[in-house]
Structures are given as structure tokens and as C-alpha cells.
Amino acid sequence: MIMKNTPTMSDPTNNERVRELGVEFGSLAHQLDQHEYPATCEELVESYGSAVLRFQNGEQTLEGVLSLVPEEQFNSATEARTAIFSNVPE
């Protein structure tokens, strides 16, 4: 029996975007893409602060990463990701 139209674990629409520049976002990638911008750091932390980002040397919550730039405002998901990439521990 063959099942059709069943999403697989490798389906990129399954809320798992693997890695960007060594940071694993998981479902947060989609959430950042869908968020309404402009948005402050505080708004992103309030909405997604407990999301865990994984990277080569460990993991940290979004709140922990963005706590280094609390007054930042982002005009797009790309700007939010840039701030994340700039603030994850090396």
C-alpha cells in the first residue's frame, strides 16, 4: 500500500529549517519569517524567548542571545537573524 501526500521528516515545510551559518533555528526560523516587522528585541523575546538555538559549541535561548542587544529594533527577519548570528557565543 502506497500513501500519497504524506509529509516526510525531510520536508522543509515541517517547521525544521536545519542550519544557517552554523546556527540551528528549528521552528524559530519559520516564526521569525512570519513575525510582523518592524519589531523590537523585547517583542521578539516576549514571543519566542524560550526558543532554543543550537550551535557548534552548545545552545542558548533566543532571550539569552538577544539580551546583549535589548534596545535593538529589527525591520525584517533578516535583520533579526543578523543580530542572532552576531551574538551567539563562539
Side-chain angles (χ1 to χ4, degrees):
M1 182 165 100
I2 298 173
M3 298 177 126
K4 294 183 179 183
N5 297 326
T6 303
T8 64
M9 293 302 285
S10 63
D11 184 346
T13 61
N14 254 5
N15 279 339
E16 287 299 326
R17 187 139 104 201
V18 183
R19 287 187 180 269
E20 287 184 48
L21 299 176
V23 178
E24 186 177 319
F25 283 83
S27 62
L28 180 61
H30 179 71
Q31 293 169 321
L32 289 175
D33 288 340
Q34 298 302 310
H35 195 83
E36 190 173 314
Y37 294 90
T40 64
C41 182
E42 183 178 331
E43 291 168 338
L44 292 181
V45 167
E46 187 175 300
S47 297
Y48 318 112
S50 63
V52 176
L53 299 162
R54 291 179 175 79
F55 34 89
Q56 185 174 357
N57 295 324
E59 61 184 42
Q60 194 168 7
T61 63
L62 180 64
E63 181 176 19
V65 172
L66 291 183
S67 67
L68 302 171
V69 289
E71 303 301 317
E72 194 81 22
Q73 179 165 314
F74 310 107
N75 292 312
S76 67
T78 300
E79 287 186 8
R81 281 190 184 85
T82 298
I84 292 167
F85 297 139
S86 298
N87 291 292
V88 292
E90 293 190 30

